[in-house]
């Protein structure tokens, strides 16, 4: 069992104090760890296994300097281990192995056949030919990732408002009451022959049908974003790559057509609201939402199908793999020294390999950010997470339709504002002989009911 402490500090508006959310994650071989949470209104606090006097009611509880130093070293150890894991994740690839092999063999070849070429060399070429282009490409790719996140966030907000419009918006009915969704709409002329007054009423399943349509739209967008991406150099200059590009392009077109058709059906749902009496200005507002939705969808589609400059990426890859061959004399000079009498070829090969690995790491980071919706990278958009959040938002909007806007959750209606402000001292007093499990469990139950 490994216990890790996380702190999240937020300023409380009443007294300007810091509210500490302290959680202990017990990680075990099961599918999920156990989570215990508590809230303190102190400078800093934690919920950990220890004596009961840890939860004393003193107004000024602070960690000792030894504890602070221990936790800082503990956090540093975790960060270093995680950074090393991320480094290995990105570097461990066939491209790095090939470049590393080339760099080591080039040093050995110069040591065997070209010792007279040993000498100093400038690293300006490396900075201009490798580091600068790669850092610029990484910056551009990260900006595209942020643009994709903004577009998805805007799309989520539009879908929520469209769902609310189809499920909640009401209008004046035939009896001059604000119940157009459930009462016949005032018509300028009598109904046609065979037409009943009930046919003028909006179907009770309209909100559910709109929700199903929007959820299907979310699923279609998710499937489209998870399609592999074309645009590599091999998709242009190799026969197998061209075939792969055709299949990927076909999958993208099928997914995009499905999304477009579902957005068009949302226009049909708006027309049904109009036919049942929705005022034109409100229908125009929903159509404006749909216009914004279509625009954000096209932005997402553009970010999905287009990449950063292919020439720059190809140039960087070629330079990373060929540059060690030309810098072999420099590494040979390191092994021989100024007097040309020393022999430290192992250090020269190791130094050459380290430089090559660093250049490959930049190249691989840039490649991993090329597709902002790639599921294998740590820094790209988490498509499943974002679309799952959108689906939950739509579901929450639909589930809340029966509630009146004046209604409050039962847990909040019975509490005064002072009762909503939990603090460390009252929580500690409410627990008899508190242990970490008891106290965190009671506070977790209270916070769950409040939220």
């Amino acid at each position: 069992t490994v216990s890790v402490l996380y702190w999240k500090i937020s300023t409380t508006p009443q007294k300007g104090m810091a509210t500490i959310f302290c959680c202990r994650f017990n990680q075990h071989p099961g599918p999920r760890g156990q989570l215990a949470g508590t809230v303190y209104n102190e400078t800093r606090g934690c919920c950990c296994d220890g004596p009961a006097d840890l939860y004393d009611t003193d107004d000024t509880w602070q960690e000792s300097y030894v504890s602070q130093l221990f936790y800082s070293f503990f956090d540093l150890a975790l960060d270093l281990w995680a950074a090393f894991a991320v480094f290995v994740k990105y570097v461990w690839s066939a491209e790095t192995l090939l470049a590393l092999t080339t760099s080591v063999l080039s040093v050995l070849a110069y040591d065997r056949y070209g010792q007279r070429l040993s000498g100093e060399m400038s690293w300006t070429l490396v900075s201009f030919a490798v580091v600068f282009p790669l850092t610029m490409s990484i910056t551009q790719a990260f900006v595209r990732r942020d643009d994709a996140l903004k577009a998805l966030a805007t799309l989520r907000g539009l879908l929520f408002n469209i769902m609310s419009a189809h499920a909640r918006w009401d209008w004046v009915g035939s009896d001059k009451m604000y119940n157009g969704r459930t009462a016949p709409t005032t018509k300028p002329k009598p109904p046609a022959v065979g037409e009943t007054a009930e046919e003028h009423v909006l179907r009770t399943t309209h909100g559910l049908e709109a929700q199903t349509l929007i959820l299907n739209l979310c699923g279609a967008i998710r499937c489209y974003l998870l399609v592999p991406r074309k645009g590599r150099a091999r998709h242009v200059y190799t026969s197998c790559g061209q075939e792969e590009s055709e299949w990927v392009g076909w999958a993208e077109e099928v997914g995009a057509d499905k999304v477009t058709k579902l957005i068009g059906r949302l226009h049909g749902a708006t027309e049904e609201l109009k036919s049942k009496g929705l005022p034109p200005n409100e229908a125009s507002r929903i159509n404006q939402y749909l216009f914004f939705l279509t625009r954000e969808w096209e932005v997402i589609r553009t970010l999905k199908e287009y990449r950063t400059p292919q020439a720059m990426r190809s140039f960087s890859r070629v330079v990373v793999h060929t540059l060690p061959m030309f810098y072999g004399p420099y590494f040979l000079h390191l092994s021989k020294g100024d007097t040309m009498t020393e022999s430290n070829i192992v250090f020269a090969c190791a130094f050459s390999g380290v430089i090559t690995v660093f250049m490959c790491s930049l190249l691989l980071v840039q490649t991993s950010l090329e597709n902002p919706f790639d599921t294998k990278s740590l820094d790209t958009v988490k498509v499943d997470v974002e679309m799952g959040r959108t689906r939950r938002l739509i579901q929450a909007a639909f589930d809340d339709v029966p509630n009146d806007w004046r209604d409050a959750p039962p847990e909040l209606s019975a509490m005064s504002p002072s009762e909503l402000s939990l603090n460390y001292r009252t929580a500690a007093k409410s627990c008899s002989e508190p242990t970490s499990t008891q106290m965190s469990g009671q506070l977790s139950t209270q916070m769950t009911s409040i939220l």
Side-chain angles (χ1 to χ4, degrees):
T1 303
V2 180
S3 296
V4 184
L5 298 177
Y6 294 87
W7 290 282
K8 179 177 176 62
I9 303 179
S10 62
T11 303
T12 57
Q14 291 84 1
K15 298 182 180 180
M17 300 176 66
T19 302
I20 308 299
F21 291 83
C22 172
C23 302
R24 187 184 71 238
F25 293 85
N26 293 325
Q27 302 173 358
H28 55 79
R32 287 185 180 273
Q34 299 175 352
L35 171 62
T38 183
V39 179
Y40 298 154
N41 280 339
E42 292 294 338
T43 304
R44 195 170 187 181
C46 66
C47 177
C48 56
D49 296 328
D53 58 357
L54 176 64
Y55 308 105
D56 57 9
T57 58
D58 187 7
D59 291 338
T60 57
W61 182 89
Q62 295 181 352
E63 290 180 317
S64 65
Y65 291 107
V66 176
S67 276
Q68 294 179 9
L69 185 62
F70 168 76
Y71 285 123
S72 63
F73 274 109
F74 184 69
D75 292 340
L76 177 60
L78 291 178
D79 291 338
L80 288 177
W81 181 87
F84 181 77
V86 172
F87 179 77
V88 172
K89 172 183 172 60
Y90 279 97
V91 171
W92 188 259
S93 65
E95 187 156 19
T96 304
L97 181 61
L98 177 61
L100 184 61
T101 303
T102 302
S103 64
V104 173
L105 290 180
S106 64
V107 175
L108 295 177
Y110 277 105
D111 182 62
R112 182 71 173 83
Y113 302 105
Q115 293 191 5
R116 60 186 182 85
L117 298 176
S118 174
E120 289 279 357
M121 298 182 68
S122 173
W123 286 92
T124 306
L125 178 63
V126 176
S127 61
F128 279 98
V130 180
V131 178
F132 179 73
L134 284 177
T135 53
M136 289 296 297
S137 296
I138 292 173
T139 302
Q140 293 177 3
F142 201 79
V143 170
R144 290 165 56 84
R145 196 288 302 264
D146 284 349
D147 292 340
L149 283 174
K150 293 176 183 177
L152 283 175
T154 305
L155 184 139
R156 184 185 302 117
L158 290 170
L159 289 177
F160 174 80
N161 283 276
I162 294 171
M163 179 71 248
S164 299
H166 284 281
R168 278 186 176 272
W169 287 12
D170 211 336
W171 53 91
V172 179
S174 58
D175 55 357
K176 306 303 181 181
M177 299 295 291
Y178 204 73
N179 56 355
R181 299 184 71 95
T182 56
T185 305
T186 303
K187 304 293 286 185
K189 59 182 180 179
V193 178
E195 189 178 16
T196 62
E198 288 75 11
E199 294 178 356
H200 296 311
V201 182
L202 184 68
R203 289 175 299 158
T204 57
T205 59
H206 180 86
L208 179 60
E209 292 167 352
Q211 181 213 23
T212 303
L213 182 59
I214 293 176
L215 292 180
N216 288 335
L217 177 60
C218 293
I221 294 175
R222 172 188 174 275
C223 292
Y224 171 81
L225 295 179
L226 293 180
V227 172
R229 193 177 183 188
K230 60 181 180 179
R232 295 177 178 269
R234 67 166 183 260
H235 294 152
V236 180
Y237 294 101
T238 63
S239 57
C240 59
Q242 292 174 358
E243 183 179 0
E244 179 187 357
S245 178
E246 291 177 0
W247 279 104
V248 173
W250 173 81
E252 288 178 344
E253 289 298 327
V254 170
D257 289 344
K258 186 175 181 180
V259 173
T260 303
K261 291 177 180 178
L262 290 173
I263 294 177
R265 293 185 181 182
L266 285 174
H267 282 281
T270 305
E271 291 301 312
E272 181 176 352
L273 289 179
K274 287 172 58 179
S275 68
K276 304 305 179 182
L278 181 70
N281 59 328
E282 295 188 1
S284 176
R285 175 65 63 184
I286 300 178
N287 287 328
Q288 186 181 33
Y289 291 160
L290 292 173
F291 164 72
F292 292 150
L293 177 68
T294 306
R295 184 180 63 184
E296 295 303 323
W297 155 245
E298 290 299 330
V299 170
I300 293 173
R301 185 176 179 180
T302 302
L303 293 172
K304 168 69 176 175
E305 297 183 6
Y306 287 86
R307 304 166 67 93
T308 55
Q310 177 62 60
M312 182 180 295
R313 287 184 280 117
S314 298
F315 175 77
S316 299
R317 176 169 277 109
V318 170
V319 170
V320 166
H321 285 278
T322 58
L323 197 63
M325 302 178 186
F326 297 97
Y327 270 80
Y330 173 78
F331 298 113
L332 182 63
H333 175 74
L334 290 180
S335 66
K336 298 298 182 180
D338 295 333
T339 59
M340 298 298 293
T341 57
E342 302 176 7
S343 179
N344 196 356
I345 194 65
V346 175
F347 173 77
C349 292
F351 189 70
S352 174
V354 168
I355 297 298
T356 303
V357 167
F358 287 163
M359 290 192 298
C360 278
S361 64
L362 289 176
L363 178 63
L364 293 172
V365 168
Q366 188 270 339
T367 304
S368 67
L369 288 174
E370 268 299 306
N371 182 6
F373 306 103
D374 188 8
T375 58
K376 298 179 181 179
S377 177
L378 297 175
D379 299 311
T380 52
V381 177
K382 306 299 185 293
V383 176
D384 286 330
V385 174
E386 294 297 325
M387 299 314 299
R389 185 178 301 169
T390 305
R391 294 174 66 90
R392 290 192 298 272
L393 186 66
I394 299 303
Q395 186 66 46
F398 179 76
D399 293 341
D400 194 58
V401 168
N403 299 325
D404 188 82
W405 68 272
R406 292 176 292 266
D407 295 341
E411 295 83 2
L412 290 180
S413 60
M415 293 184 181
S416 63
S418 60
E419 291 175 330
L420 298 179
S421 178
L422 291 180
N423 55 57
Y424 164 71
R425 294 185 297 275
T426 58
K429 291 178 180 179
S430 64
C431 302
S432 58
E433 297 296 330
T435 63
S436 61
T437 305
Q438 292 173 347
M439 187 170 182
S440 60
Q442 293 183 18
L443 286 170
S444 178
T445 303
Q446 291 175 324
M447 287 304 299
T448 301
S449 64
I450 290 175
L451 295 177

